[in-house]
Amino acid sequence: MTAPLTPPPPPRDQSPHDAWQPPGDPGTSGAPGASADPGASGAGYPAYPPQEASYGQDGPGIKTELIEAVVVTVASAVGGVLLGVLWWWLAPHVPLVGDLVDKSWVVYLKDSEGEQAVGVDGTFTLLAVAFGVVSALVVFLLRRRGGVALVAALTLGGLLASFIAWRLGMWFGPTKDVLAHAKAAGKGVTFSAPLKLGAKGALLAWPVAALVVHLGLTALFGPRDPEPGYVQQGVGPTDGYGAPLS
């Protein structure tokens, strides 16, 4: 004969007020048919917002950033036209004189110690720096969050604008054929030399100024990212029953 099987011990009585019991357990609620949903009202669990809650405003998206970058580049190129006109208008003129020696025309500087040529480069540089500062300020005020695409557009657009201004100013200025100009002016008559940029490094004045100013404004007045470890209320990590983890 075999010994009778010992019946298993009865389940431990659990308090109906225990908020950490698994859903669906008859011992978790004194009322039959209690909802097993951890977020449902009356089930003994605190209600939490859905996990799809907003985590904050994201960026505008790649497509929008590219469109904004193209707009900034085109606007900078248009500004380059204005820079070229101002450079041609404000730059000092380099005086030249033509002479006829042995039936051949020669052209030389009227004032060999003059600094007009340096003034031409300096005028372009100062104007380009001013345009770079203004473009960076406008872009920052319109798109305060910044971004790599905007910074790249400012740099590329400034370089493109400087090139356009350089070529446009030379085109507006006196002719490059100084011998023909000297013949047209006459022997010993002063005329202006072609407008040219002696220091090609001045072409970098606009993009460098725009880059530095924009990065500085973004660092000082741009929006700040949330501090590490910050958890928005209601969307923190939870366990398998929907309860927040300590």
Side-chain angles (χ1 to χ4, degrees):
M1 294 181 63
T2 59
L5 297 176
T6 303
R12 181 175 59 89
D13 185 23
Q14 298 179 0
S15 172
H17 301 289
D18 188 359
W20 302 101
Q21 296 175 1
D25 192 341
T28 60
S29 175
S35 172
D37 186 1
S41 176
Y45 296 98
Y48 299 99
Q51 295 299 320
E52 291 78 8
S54 175
Y55 283 83
Q57 184 179 4
D58 295 333
I62 297 300
K63 184 177 180 181
T64 303
E65 289 186 353
L66 290 178
I67 293 176
E68 292 176 353
V70 171
V71 172
V72 171
T73 304
V74 173
S76 298
V78 174
V81 176
L82 180 58
L83 172 60
V85 174
L86 289 177
W87 179 46
W88 162 70
W89 182 34
L90 297 176
H93 297 279
V94 179
L96 300 178
V97 174
D99 196 4
L100 190 60
V101 178
D102 295 336
K103 297 183 180 181
S104 299
W105 281 92
V106 293
V107 178
Y108 55 89
L109 289 171
K110 182 179 181 180
D111 185 7
S112 58
E113 297 181 358
E115 298 181 354
Q116 292 86 351
V118 178
V120 172
D121 294 349
T123 301
F124 184 94
T125 303
L126 293 177
L127 288 174
V129 169
F131 273 78
V133 171
V134 172
S135 63
L137 180 60
V138 171
V139 170
F140 175 76
L141 292 178
L142 295 179
R143 292 292 181 267
R144 190 175 294 268
R145 68 177 178 273
V148 177
L150 287 180
V151 174
L154 274 174
T155 306
L156 179 61
L159 187 60
L160 178 62
S162 297
F163 181 81
I164 293 175
W166 171 43
R167 304 304 298 181
L168 190 63
M170 292 176 58
W171 183 69
F172 280 152
T175 177
K176 295 180 180 180
D177 191 349
V178 293
L179 289 180
H181 199 173
K183 292 178 182 179
K187 179 180 178 180
V189 178
T190 303
F191 62 95
S192 298
L195 190 63
K196 65 178 182 178
L197 195 63
K200 298 301 188 293
L203 295 174
L204 300 177
W206 182 325
V208 171
L211 178 62
V212 172
V213 172
H214 187 270
L215 291 179
L217 291 174
T218 303
L220 293 176
F221 307 107
R224 297 292 187 267
D225 294 332
E227 297 181 1
Y230 170 78
V231 179
Q232 189 172 355
Q233 182 179 4
V235 294
T238 59
D239 60 10
Y241 304 114
L245 296 175
S246 58

